Amino acid sequence: MDMSFTPEETAFRDEIRAFLKAELDPALARKVRLHHDLTKAEMEGWHAKLQSRGWLAGNWPKEFGGAGWTAIQRHIFEEESARAHAPRIVPFGIAMLGPVLQKFGSKEQQDHWLPRILNGDDWWCQGYSEPGAGSDLAGLRCEARRDGDHYVVNGQKTWTTLGQHANMIFCLVRTSTEGKKQEGISFLLIDMETPGVTVRPIVLLDGAAEVNEVWFDNVRVPAANLVGTENEGWTYAKYLLTHERTNIAGVGFATAALDNLKRVARAQIHRGKPLSEDPAFAADMASVEIELMAMSTTNLRMLSAAAQGQAPGIESSMLKIKGTQIRQRLDALTRRAYGGQAMALPQGGNEGPEDADEALAATATWLNNRKLSIYGGSNEIQRSIIAGAMAKG
Amino acid sequence: MDFQLSDDHRMLQDSLRGVLARHSGDGLAPALAELGIPEALLTEAEGGFDGSGAAVALIFEELGRAGAPSTPVAAMIGAAALAQAGHDAAVLAFADAEPGTRHDRGVAMRAEGECLTGRKTMVIGAEGAQGFLVTTADALWRVDRDAEGVEFRPYPLMDDQPGGDLILCDAPATRLGALSGHDGVLARAVLAHAAYGLGVITAAFDLTLDYLRQRKQFGQPLIAFQALAHRMADLAVEVEQARSAVVNLSGHLDAEPALRDRHLQACKVTVGRAARLLAEESVQLHGGIGMTEEYALGGIIRRLIAADTAMGDADYHLERFALAEPAFA
């Protein structure tokens, strides 16, 4: 057993650190740390910097313009980026659609769409969930009817993250009502500029509007935008979800949140002493830090097993549950550390009163990160996946 | 990075599993001795046969999983401490816990000069031992069984092992050194206890899962009921956490003391909490049969709780971790 990173991996980490130090604007990092909404230009600017270094698509093979990193390298990049408070790479084009097109898309689709993801020509969003199809995704109803060399799309999608910035959306649509509900679903690429597409923001608990409703009213989509085969979309959707679940443990985000919590607890005064010296609070902090130490190793154990060719099974579900529990506990402790100072809410996810900025960020972060145990397959769904695998033995 | 067992360790695991499957009760100790297991806590330089964290973890996990008594752990601590202090090998029972205190040392046992006076409780492995390895507030001592002022009052412990109270009245003792001077040995002993605990945790989990898959109620196996399935999934996650904590300590056994102690404390907290959780949940998930002495779970539950308690429980180590105190000082 060898728990250490190889010299190559350590050098890689140093390289990432040096890049972040040189290229990440401290004002931007501060916005990320305080959970303020980033502008589209800020996110695109960071993508462009990474792309010019060849690091935007760590998960893509080199033949498609990616970095072709190993799972361990991706882990190192995610961890360092999170700890430096770099903007998160918007996942929809890079982490989700890209792998699907590479595996199931036509040559024409690959040649057209993949370079546009890397150079920022397209901003993709995801059209999966519907008001009546959340955890039971296969219950979706948004329909696409074939009409000559077009599909005509009618229906609604929801929870479309950052859809307000997007010009393209990849959708699961119903193309058949025959047979099992998983069998009549297709994977369709839709231009958001097409007449009949309407995007409406949904304001969340923390005042931010990062998600949207998307409405389709007789939207005509070229049949060439169908990925793979009609009615086979469920296969591609499941493949995409396995990619969505990389970095699911969120070790870097949790480590950054723990660093921040410790800093806050040292600065806050409680009974005349730093809060970090209060036995009850210190024990709470220690308990979540200890959980993170173990989870971080669970994550590496599973990455290492995957790198040696052992197929990932229920591990990603385990990491989703434990990773989100840890981050939500950290967020809760950080908010509680501020006590009465954390009562206001920044407007629209942006700056609040200047001197109370950090306390307000703690509240907004706690509120926003309630989503962690809901999205990407709720933690209850993950438990059912684990138990389902155990039942089979 | 590679978390796989080495070929040597895989062979060790195989032979150990074979021995544990063939022997139990009185026959087990000689069979383990033949494999060299009693020297497991010693490094090669001290006359042991491996001494790496990975080997300690794997040996004791197998012992715990197979339902072997934890007595060998207690005995090995004494052997390792003697070797480190440069003394001849002897079988010593580890006398650590004291009456009147959760986990403090030196409350009911005090040293004056080269003599000890006071009481130790829940001493394991005294049967056949030549003496005792006794902790005081800041030191480790050796007390011979036959020395003046030594009394031992035996009683059974909750995990069915013989134990007892050690009562010393101005008993002559040999100071082996400061606790902090033996922190390496004690860290190995904690790893052994934690890995043993992980083995028992795994046994409890496997037995419970097996039961939920076989036992039918309302025409369905219990695992098909979501309320139970989700609790089982949560247990599966915590078992992985416990395994990672043991991996972390075994990988940092020879790290600089402050870092090693953080992993030691984190390991004892994680394994202790998982052990408590498994102890409570596995009975509940079994239902009435889990309450019976006849069923195999009973002994497992008691070993789970014992694994948390030995050498400082989860609460004790959490507090020391929170206050950044060394593990043994």
Side-chain angles (χ1 to χ4, degrees), chain B residues 182-253:
Chain B
H182 285 84
D183 56 352
V185 168
L186 296 170
R188 270 163 205 284
V190 167
L191 173 62
H193 274 296
Y196 178 84
L198 174 65
V200 188
I201 285 169
T202 312
F205 180 86
D206 290 347
L207 190 64
T208 306
L209 178 59
D210 211 37
Y211 184 78
L212 292 194
R213 283 163 59 177
Q214 286 175 20
R215 170 77 166 163
K216 285 191 174 170
Q217 296 271 272
F218 306 104
Q220 295 204 70
L222 290 178
I223 189 77
F225 293 90
Q226 193 179 58
L228 306 183
H230 283 195
R231 286 167 77 164
M232 208 58 209
D234 281 335
L235 294 183
V237 175
E238 298 306 327
V239 171
E240 289 302 325
Q241 288 284 95
R243 176 167 302 282
S244 289
V246 168
V247 166
N248 280 344
L249 176 54
S250 60
H252 289 90
L253 207 48

Side-chain angles (χ1 to χ4, degrees), chain A residues 1-5 282 286-287 289-291 293-295 297-298 301 308 310 322 380 383-384 387 390 393, chain B residues 1-2 4 205 213 229-230 233-234 238 240-241 243-244 247-248 250 262-263 266 270 273 318 321-322:
Chain A
M1 193 176 65
D2 178 10
M3 290 186 64
S4 50
F5 289 98
S287 160
E289 178 170 5
I290 286 168
E291 282 215 280
M293 287 164 73
M295 200 262 296
T297 295
T298 306
R301 277 171 46 215
Q308 300 191 1
Q310 293 173 21
K322 185 50 78 179
E380 284 68 36
R383 289 186 180 95
S384 291
M390 292 193 304
Chain B
M1 193 165 302
D2 181 7
Q4 308 283 320
F205 180 86
R213 283 163 59 177
H230 283 195
D234 281 335
E238 298 306 327
E240 289 302 325
Q241 288 284 95
R243 176 167 302 282
S244 289
V247 166
N248 280 344
S250 60
R262 280 175 59 73
H263 283 287
T270 309
R273 287 188 165 183
L318 177 67
F321 181 100

Side-chain angles (χ1 to χ4, degrees), chain B residues 25-26 69-72 74-75 93-94 121-129 132 145 152-165:
Chain B
D26 292 344
S70 65
T71 316
F94 186 42
T121 194
M122 309 297 148
V123 179
I124 307 174
E127 258 187 6
F132 301 91
R145 179 93 195 217
F152 189 75
R153 294 184 189 165
Y155 47 78
L157 294 175
M158 72 169 159
D159 54 349
D160 304 328
Q161 297 176 65
D165 273 19

